[in-house]
Amino acid sequence: METNPRETGGLVIGNAPLAEKFVLLLLFSLLLGGVYYVLKPFGIALMFGCILAIAAWPVRTWLVRMGLSGTAAALFMLAALLLFVLVPVFLSAPGLVVEVRTLIELVSAWVASSPPLPGWIAALPFVGDALATQWDALLHQTPEAKAMISSYAEPVRKFITDAAVGLASSMAHIAIGVVVATSFWAGGAAIVDVLRDSLRRLGGAKLAGVTDVAGGAVKGVFYGIIGTAAIQGLLMAIGMWLAGVPAAATLGFVTLILAVSQFGGVLINLVWGGAAWWIYSTSGTDLAFWFVIVWGLIVTFIDNLLKPWLIGSSMQLPLMLVILGVFGGFISFGFLGLFIGPTLLAVAYDLLAHWRGTENAAPPAARG
């Protein structure tokens, strides 16, 4: 009589389904590991491309509604991006590092020369004497002034210089990211449908809805933080160019970096203040001098108007998380981390808030 191993509870045959599952799981893990190592060199570019695609998706939607196909809309957006953003960045990036370093050296040399405060500033009522006293204390390099200046100047100098170097070294990642974004603009709707369907299979409609939450967070941080900083940098460059200030593009880049860092309010004043001082020292208080002062004040305070309007109600990210995202992203990913870092934290924060909101909205019985 022949014995059936399944009926005898034999170890090999009886455990065959479990062994098969283990082998399949192992093979799937190896596959995921292989995919990870293949995409690892392009991780930064992929994240930047996805963020760019999501942020510009409303433009793609509008173009499709105007009658363009998805591919035509993607090509149109790529052409506009190349013409107005990427080509100028690619052309200016190699020389930007030198210009930033030169600008910092000029500022340091100017401070070391202890220039006198203009008489009309010292003569201002109520604040003139105080400004003159502080000016003398700072520029005559008392021990306290040295300690204060060095504690602030060196981190700022290093951050701006490293950002310029990072921009020059991130050209390949930016190019790949643009290709990724263009691919999403052309066929991203199908990819989103696949993602939503996969999440729905895993966790139902609640989990599938996180795609909209994540998309709203990406748009909020990109428009409110990065968009505001880009507008401030562009306006500063235009104003300095109109006033005839040298290295206007470099001053615009410095303004962009300071605005993204969220510490730029006071430091941006130094950008246009230095330009106004240069005009004063070369031609006095002429029209360009007052234009730079008025324009600089507008650029500084426009942040208070643009950021709430651009963010709207799509994102309420605490300032501390924005700062951690900017500097942590910069340390982890380089120049593009200035954009990737706060975006990732915004997505995580909004997903957590969404989860807490749905949990709090559940009936008591459902909460257990």
Side-chain angles (χ1 to χ4, degrees), residues 5-253:
R6 292 184 181 275
E7 294 178 358
T8 59
L11 179 62
V12 176
I13 303 298
N15 288 342
L18 181 60
E20 291 174 2
K21 291 179 181 179
F22 175 77
V23 171
L24 288 175
L25 182 61
L26 178 61
L27 292 175
F28 185 68
S29 300
L30 291 175
L31 176 63
L32 291 180
V35 171
Y36 168 75
Y37 279 104
V38 169
L39 297 180
K40 182 180 178 181
F42 310 103
I44 298 176
L46 289 173
M47 285 188 288
F48 178 70
C50 291
I51 293 171
L52 183 61
I54 295 172
W57 193 259
V59 179
R60 187 259 188 196
T61 302
W62 178 78
L63 290 174
V64 171
R65 288 176 180 172
M66 295 296 292
L68 295 180
S69 64
T71 302
L75 293 176
F76 178 84
M77 294 173 67
L78 174 62
L81 194 62
L82 288 173
L83 180 62
F84 296 107
V85 180
L86 293 183
V87 170
V89 169
F90 273 75
L91 292 177
S92 61
L96 187 62
V97 179
V98 178
E99 290 187 2
V100 167
R101 289 175 176 169
T102 302
L103 178 64
I104 293 175
E105 291 174 358
L106 289 175
V107 172
S108 301
W110 174 78
V111 173
S113 67
S114 299
L117 186 70
W120 64 271
I121 295 181
L124 290 174
F126 305 111
V127 297
D129 293 339
L131 290 175
T133 302
Q134 293 297 324
W135 184 267
D136 291 337
L138 285 175
L139 294 187
H140 287 86
Q141 298 291 289
T142 62
E144 296 80 6
K146 285 184 178 180
M148 186 186 70
I149 292 175
S150 61
S151 64
Y152 287 100
E154 182 58 26
V156 172
R157 182 201 65 78
K158 187 176 186 304
F159 178 59
I160 296 176
T161 304
D162 290 350
V165 174
L167 175 61
S169 62
S170 298
M171 291 296 100
H173 286 148
I174 293 175
I176 296 173
V178 170
V179 173
V180 171
T182 305
S183 301
F184 273 106
W185 292 329
I191 298 175
V192 172
D193 291 339
V194 170
L195 179 61
R196 283 178 176 167
D197 182 65
S198 301
L199 293 176
R200 187 177 294 107
R201 289 172 180 269
L202 290 173
K206 177 181 176 181
L207 187 59
V210 303
T211 55
D212 296 328
V213 178
V218 171
K219 293 175 184 177
V221 72
F222 202 90
Y223 298 161
I225 298 173
I226 300 169
T228 301
I231 292 174
Q232 287 181 282
L234 180 62
L235 289 177
M236 182 67 77
I238 293 174
M240 298 304 103
W241 176 73
L242 291 175
V245 178
T250 304
L251 294 177
F253 175 78

